[in-house]
Every structure is written in C-alpha cells, then in structure tokens.
Amino acid sequence: MITVIEDTRQKVNHHEVKHTCLEQMGVNILRCALPFGDYSLPPNICVDTKENMEEIAANMVGDHMRFRNECMKAKLAGCHLYILVETHLGIRCVDDVDAWVNPRLRFSSKAVTGERLMKMMKTMQTRYGVTFMFCDPADSAEMILKILRGDYEDAND
C-alpha cells in the first residue's frame, strides 16, 4: 500500500470521488499541511489539482504572486510540482490552452485569453520546472497516482 499526503487546505468531503478511487487503487491518504500542492509523495513529487480552467486562470492571473511563490518553493525544495487541471473541454496539453475561450471574457475584456494563459503556463514551466497536465475529472484520481508513481504515459507538455 502506498501512502499519499493530502494538504489540509483541501476541502473536507469535497473530493470524495477522487479519494474513493485512490483508496480502491490501494492508496492510503494522510492529511498533513504541505508547503505547496494538494497531494504529495515525499520527498520530491507533488501534484496540485485545479477544479477547472477557470481556477487555473484565476490562480495565474488574479493570485499570480501566491501561485508563483508556491512554484518557486517547490523548485527550491527540489520537488517537481505537477499542476493537474481537471477539465471536460478536451484540453490535453498546454498548447491546447491557446484555443480555450474564457467565459469571463463575456463580462470583462480584461479577462485572460487562452493564448495569454498558455504563454503564462509555458513561462512557469521554463522558470520553475512546473509541469501542467490535464485530464477529465473522472480520471483525476488515476492520474494523480500515475504522476506520483512516475508511470504516466506523457507529460502533456
């Protein structure tokens, strides 16, 4: 059995489907405060999950300093940080983000476009070694486990 650490900032009872799947795969989940990310397999792999494209856009634009600092902390700690974005939109790699249409653009011309978000993600990858990955929400638990074990098929660059 493998033990994965889940950050205590993750909402309790908000990720039950994911937890049930992980437990069925033989994963024990231990809640503990993490300096970055949502799930970790110490000492050097960490996965931060994003509920959808809107959440990653908000993190990278509206809360950019906090997000950047988290990425810097991971890099300085020698930890590879994976950002796993759950989406039904068919986005499978960072290049696909270019075609994403931010629903907030209907209300504000200042909202981030898919093209700009893609460029920001590529910059974060280059500067901080962060890997952005994408999956359908139903596949999230399996993807987390594959990333933590290092046996995912591709890095969705």
Side-chain angles (χ1 to χ4, degrees):
M1 179 172 262
I2 184 173
T3 297
V4 169
I5 298 173
E6 177 189 44
D7 187 54
T8 52
R9 291 171 293 189
Q10 283 283 78
K11 295 177 186 172
V12 176
N13 298 324
H14 189 75
H15 302 278
E16 290 308 307
V17 172
K18 199 179 306 179
H19 291 178
T20 299
C21 289
L22 285 168
E23 289 166 0
Q24 289 172 348
M25 292 179 215
V27 174
N28 180 41
I29 300 171
L30 174 67
R31 287 181 57 84
C32 185
L34 292 171
F36 41 82
D38 295 329
Y39 300 93
S40 181
L41 183 63
N44 60 1
I45 299 174
C46 193
V47 179
D48 191 5
T49 56
K50 302 300 174 188
E51 185 175 13
N52 52 40
M53 290 300 296
E54 290 84 356
E55 182 179 1
I56 189 63
N59 286 170
M60 293 197 64
V61 177
D63 206 4
H64 182 74
M65 292 300 285
R66 184 200 59 76
F67 186 78
R68 182 192 62 124
N69 289 341
E70 188 171 308
C71 294
M72 282 178 29
K73 280 184 201 175
K75 182 178 181 178
L76 291 172
C79 185
H80 191 138
L81 179 60
Y82 293 84
I83 308 297
L84 181 61
V85 182
E86 300 170 359
T87 177
H88 292 293
L89 302 176
I91 297 171
R92 293 292 169 238
C93 66
V94 172
D95 286 335
D96 291 347
V97 174
D98 182 50
W100 175 63
V101 178
N102 186 343
R104 296 182 60 85
L105 285 168
R106 290 180 293 185
F107 310 107
S108 171
S109 60
K110 294 180 181 179
V112 69
T113 64
E115 179 183 15
R116 178 141 165 64
L117 183 58
M118 176 195 69
K119 288 177 182 177
M120 292 172 75
M121 289 176 163
K122 287 183 174 188
T123 299
M124 297 298 273
Q125 287 181 152
T126 301
R127 287 189 184 160
Y128 308 111
V130 173
T131 300
F132 289 92
M133 299 182 76
F134 304 84
C135 72
D136 190 272
D139 300 329
S140 179
E142 182 180 356
M143 199 62 171
I144 290 168
L145 191 55
K146 284 182 176 183
I147 293 167
L148 293 176
R149 287 185 171 164
D151 61 359
Y152 55 90
E153 288 182 23
D154 73 79
N156 290 312
D157 58 31

